[in-house]
Amino acid sequence: MKYREMTENDLQYVVGKNIEYYNTVEDCCWTYEKAYKRIHQVLTMEDSMCLVQMDQNDNITGYLMGYFKEYDDKHKKFYSGLGFYPVNNFVMMGKFMD
């Protein structure tokens, strides 16, 4: 497997797979517009990291999205109670498909 940075050209595929997974496996109700808006928002966010996983034929087989978020002292205490710590303030989102 290889990885590359996600581009806006990948959005149609990634959004479709995101909707397919969450609406069937996790019984959610994502629409194309809502999923596109959220994924595009993270893709274009400063300090985000969005990758696509590629197979040997350059087909997308998964994606990874995340961004760095600073927390103030009040939030640090709250998030550390949940197992998140200031050193690990990288918010991960994504699913890998077959």
Side-chain angles (χ1 to χ4, degrees), residues 14-42 63 65 93 95:
V14 170
V15 169
K17 287 298 185 182
N18 187 74
I19 291 169
E20 178 184 319
Y21 173 82
Y22 283 104
N23 288 357
T24 58
V25 176
E26 297 195 11
D27 199 29
C28 295
C29 56
W30 283 91
T31 63
Y32 186 87
E33 293 77 21
K34 286 182 182 180
Y36 181 93
K37 183 177 180 178
R38 182 63 182 132
I39 292 171
H40 185 267
Q41 181 182 44
V42 174
Y63 67 95
M65 297 171 36
M93 299 175 295
K95 296 288 180 182

Side-chain angles (χ1 to χ4, degrees), residues 2 4 6 9 18 22 26 29 32-33 35 39-40 45-46 50 56-57 62-66 72 74-75 78-79 94:
K2 57 186 174 180
R4 66 169 171 77
M6 186 187 299
N9 293 335
N18 187 74
Y22 283 104
E26 297 195 11
C29 56
Y32 186 87
E33 293 77 21
I39 292 171
H40 185 267
M45 184 183 296
E46 187 174 347
C50 301
Q56 64 274 14
N57 297 319
Y63 67 95
L64 169 82
M65 297 171 36
D72 57 29
K74 180 179 174 182
H75 287 97
F78 172 77
Y79 285 109

